[in-house]
């Protein structure tokens, strides 16, 4: 099972807008060193929809090479069409990828039956473990607990990243799936409560810049020390919210560069740089989280 603090890894780019290999290595070494339990590449935070097919594949190979078995690699393989999602998932087989993260088809807004058939086709035609990804705010469609129940009985569908922020979903889904079905939060601000209700971990944006603290929160929660976990999580709460002051991954790339984790915070259009007013909010949040020193007079 995947559990604990899993990072939704950003995709660093150089000044020419190409994937920055040096920064990818820095990020992977950072997560291995600071307790992150797995890496998700090519998710929402990884700007997967702005990369070409060749770039996505090359990035996966690069990450696998740098990770060198030190940390499990999960890869986002979602697409608007079932055929495309299946083709990319199949392409990753036998490369050493631990699992795929498959988002609900965006823009199409399929019915619940369409969602079931989409994931069923992928499940029947690949051996790679699948983690479902439900993020209605991005895709325009909500994967309901009743559909998750049906999917949970299919071959190699092993869990879900539930990013609605609706904590009632934890209990609803738990009652409908097998005991070993993984429940992973996709919302940093509510992740600790999600885990307390029985979730297994979080696929985190915040972990990109606060890996050690996010890992510690899970370790404390797992040991039953929720009081200390909540104190540490409260320290990061400004970060959890500030990272979404503009569309993800705009703020997290700015913060990662500010902390020296990546060389530049370059994004690809239609994503644009963090505005000056939001930079000030992020700076304050990093100070409150004790990730950078508090400036004198602040």
């Amino acid at each position: 099972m995947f559990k604990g603090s899993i990072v939704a890894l950003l995709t660093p780019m150089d000044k020419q807008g190409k994937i920055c290999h040096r920064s990818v290595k820095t990020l992977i070494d950072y997560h291995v060193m600071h307790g992150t339990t797995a890496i998700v590449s090519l998710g929402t935070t990884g700007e997967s929809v702005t990369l070409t097919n060749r770039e996505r594949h090359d990035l996966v190979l690069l990450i696998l090479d740098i990770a060198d078995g030190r940390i499990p690699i999960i890869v986002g393989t979602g697409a608007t069409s079932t055929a495309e999602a299946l083709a990319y998932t199949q392409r990753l087989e036998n490369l050493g990828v631990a699992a795929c993260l498959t988002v609900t088809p965006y823009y199409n807004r399929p019915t619940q039956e369409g969602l079931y058939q989409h994931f069923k086709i992928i499940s029947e035609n690949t051996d790679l473990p699948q983690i479902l990804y439900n993020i209605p705010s991005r895709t325009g469609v909500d994967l309901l607990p009743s559909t998750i129940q049906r999917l949970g009985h299919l071959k190699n569908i092993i869990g879900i990243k539930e990013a609605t922020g609706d904590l009632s979903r934890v209990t609803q889904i738990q009652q409908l799936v097998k005991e070993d079905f993984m429940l992973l939060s996709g919302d940093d601000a509510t992740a600790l409560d999600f885990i307390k209700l029985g979730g297994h971990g979080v696929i985190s944006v915040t972990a990109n810049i606060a890996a050690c603290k996010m890992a510690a929160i899970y370790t404390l929660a797992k040991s039953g020390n929720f009081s200390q976990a909540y104190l540490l999580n409260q320290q990061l709460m400004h970060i959890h919210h500030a990272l979404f002051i503009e569309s993800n991954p705009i703020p997290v790339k700015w913060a990662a560069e500010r902390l020296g984790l990546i060389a530049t915070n370059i994004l690809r259009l239609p994503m644009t740089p963090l505005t000056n007013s939001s930079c000030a909010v992020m700076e304050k949040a990093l100070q409150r989280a004790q990730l950078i020193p508090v400036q004198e007079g602040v």
Side-chain angles (χ1 to χ4, degrees):
M1 278 178 50
F2 300 103
K3 56 188 178 181
S5 176
I6 301 167
V7 64
L9 194 72
L10 60 84
T11 300
M13 297 174 187
D14 61 24
K15 292 181 179 179
Q16 286 72 47
K18 297 179 180 179
I19 294 170
C20 180
H21 290 207
R22 180 166 60 87
S23 292
V24 171
K25 184 179 188 311
T26 298
L27 290 173
I28 292 173
D29 290 345
Y30 168 75
H31 287 291
V32 170
M33 184 181 301
H34 289 94
T36 300
T37 58
I39 287 172
V40 171
S41 177
L42 297 178
T44 304
T45 310
E47 296 177 83
S48 59
V49 292
T50 70
L51 303 179
T52 66
N53 288 335
R54 180 76 256 175
E55 286 176 320
R56 286 196 288 269
H57 193 68
D58 287 348
L59 178 60
V60 171
L61 293 178
L62 175 66
I63 289 173
L64 287 169
D65 181 58
I66 295 171
D68 194 26
R70 295 178 294 163
I71 188 170
I73 306 300
I74 302 164
V75 178
T77 59
T80 53
S81 78
T82 304
E84 184 180 354
L86 173 59
Y88 191 57
T89 304
Q90 290 175 327
R91 194 178 179 191
L92 295 178
E93 290 186 326
N94 304 315
L95 292 182
V97 170
C100 63
L101 180 71
T102 314
V103 73
T104 53
Y106 40 94
Y107 189 78
N108 292 309
R109 299 185 69 186
T111 63
Q112 294 300 304
E113 181 61 26
L115 291 170
Y116 173 75
Q117 293 296 336
H118 171 82
F119 291 113
K120 180 173 180 285
I121 287 292
I122 299 171
S123 171
E124 289 175 341
N125 291 279
T126 179
D127 292 324
L128 196 62
Q130 286 186 71
I131 301 170
L132 309 172
Y133 182 11
N134 188 36
I135 182 166
S137 63
R138 287 272 188 168
T139 64
V141 63
D142 188 4
L143 186 63
L144 298 179
S146 57
T147 306
I148 297 168
Q149 178 184 26
R150 296 176 68 194
L151 291 168
H153 294 288
L154 298 181
K155 176 179 73 74
N156 65 30
I157 293 183
I158 62 171
I160 185 168
K161 176 184 177 182
E162 174 56 55
T164 60
D166 180 359
L167 291 171
S168 69
R169 287 288 177 94
V170 184
T171 302
Q172 291 177 49
I173 297 170
Q174 276 181 323
Q175 293 173 345
L176 298 173
V177 296
K178 296 177 291 186
E179 187 176 349
D180 61 352
F181 189 85
M182 291 181 306
L183 298 176
L184 301 170
S185 171
D187 179 65
D188 280 303
T190 59
L192 182 54
D193 289 318
F194 187 100
I195 291 167
K196 189 173 185 179
L197 289 168
H200 301 102
V202 57
I203 298 180
S204 169
V205 178
T206 299
N208 277 284
I209 59 170
C212 188
K213 290 177 186 285
M214 287 299 297
I217 288 169
Y218 176 77
T219 299
L220 288 166
K222 183 182 178 183
S223 67
N225 192 346
F226 281 98
S227 60
Q228 289 299 312
Y230 276 107
L231 285 174
L232 186 54
N233 191 56
Q234 196 59 36
Q235 190 181 104
L236 291 180
M237 193 57 71
H238 291 286
I239 292 288
H240 296 332
H241 291 296
L243 288 177
F244 292 88
I245 193 171
E246 294 182 22
S247 297
N248 181 38
I250 295 172
V252 73
K253 273 198 157 180
W254 182 92
E257 183 191 29
R258 176 70 176 83
L259 295 174
L261 292 169
I262 59 176
T264 74
N265 64 4
I266 298 294
L267 301 121
R268 286 185 179 174
L269 287 170
M271 292 298 188
T272 52
L274 195 67
T275 60
N276 289 337
S277 59
S278 294
C279 289
V281 173
M282 277 303 314
E283 185 81 7
K284 178 72 74 173
L286 291 173
Q287 291 174 9
R288 288 175 171 172
Q290 299 178 25
L291 296 176
I292 59 173
V294 177
Q295 297 177 4
E296 291 187 12
V298 175

